[in-house]
Amino acid sequence: MKLMFKQRLFSWLDSYDVFDRDGSVVYTVKGELSWGHRLQIYDAQGEHLGTVQEKVLTLLPRFQLYLGDRLAGTITKEFTFFRPRFTLDCNGWTVDGDLWEWDYQVMDGSRTVMSLQKQVWNWTDTYSMNIPQPKDALLCLMIVLAIDAAKCSQGK
């Protein structure tokens, strides 16, 4: 499964449309005004599917991932000097990114759950996600949104 999303150009809060390879909207992401980032994810029919919520008053960015109202996991940015690193407490998955935080993979042991590439020559943040198993798509999207919000929190 391949998904692509880009941040809307004129949006006060984080707002994204997520498309499949045919250009059809699969998910809509809407930011809400709150302490820290709060992103609500909806399917194409407008049904709420999940939430990415930043925990405030933490030393480093930390996000909770909710599938519906159920906490599915957390992702925390670690303190490092060079290569960015995130600790993912969700399904036993890990995140491995490059130096610039543009390309990374989510792994389940030796299985690639998702690979992501940021397209750098666009007006807004634009990402391409490759997800071999469609059942992992929503949680993968939530991880990407949390990492993007963490970079935003740090002024990148």
Side-chain angles (χ1 to χ4, degrees):
M1 174 177 215
K2 184 170 183 153
L3 297 176
M4 187 172 128
F5 72 96
K6 63 172 62 182
Q7 189 173 26
R8 293 183 182 147
L9 184 58
F10 298 107
S11 175
W12 290 105
L13 301 170
D14 294 327
S15 183
Y16 301 88
D17 287 319
V18 182
F19 304 93
D20 63 13
R21 71 174 65 229
D22 297 328
S24 300
V25 173
V26 179
Y27 302 108
T28 299
V29 179
K30 297 178 183 177
E32 289 184 351
L33 195 57
S34 70
W35 289 98
H37 288 88
R38 182 176 173 89
L39 304 168
Q40 301 289 350
I41 303 165
Y42 301 90
D43 67 11
Q45 292 75 38
E47 182 179 335
H48 180 259
L49 300 175
T51 304
V52 176
Q53 174 68 52
E54 183 175 13
K55 294 295 289 180
V56 294
L57 303 176
T58 59
L59 182 60
L60 295 169
R62 178 179 299 149
F63 295 84
Q64 293 180 317
L65 311 175
Y66 292 91
L67 293 172
D69 293 333
R70 181 182 62 83
L71 180 64
T74 61
I75 184 166
T76 306
K77 182 158 176 133
E78 294 180 20
F79 179 78
T80 59
F81 285 107
F82 298 106
R83 187 177 181 155
R85 182 157 301 220
F86 291 87
T87 300
L88 181 59
D89 181 15
C90 180
N91 290 351
W93 296 353
T94 59
V95 177
D96 185 34
D98 69 1
L99 180 64
W100 305 108
E101 298 181 64
W102 288 342
D103 299 330
Y104 49 91
Q105 294 181 326
V106 173
M107 303 295 293
D108 183 7
S110 61
R111 177 179 78 92
T112 301
V113 177
M114 176 197 67
S115 60
L116 178 120
Q117 296 80 38
K118 181 175 180 178
Q119 300 173 3
V120 294
W121 304 113
N122 289 299
W123 288 97
T124 62
D125 289 345
T126 303
Y127 296 95
S128 176
M129 302 168 54
N130 291 307
I131 306 163
Q133 295 185 15
K135 68 179 180 68
D136 296 329
L138 178 58
L139 202 47
C140 287
L141 174 62
M142 295 169 80
I143 292 166
V144 173
L145 293 169
I147 291 173
D148 186 64
K151 292 188 296 187
C152 181
S153 292
Q154 294 184 315
K156 293 183 179 181

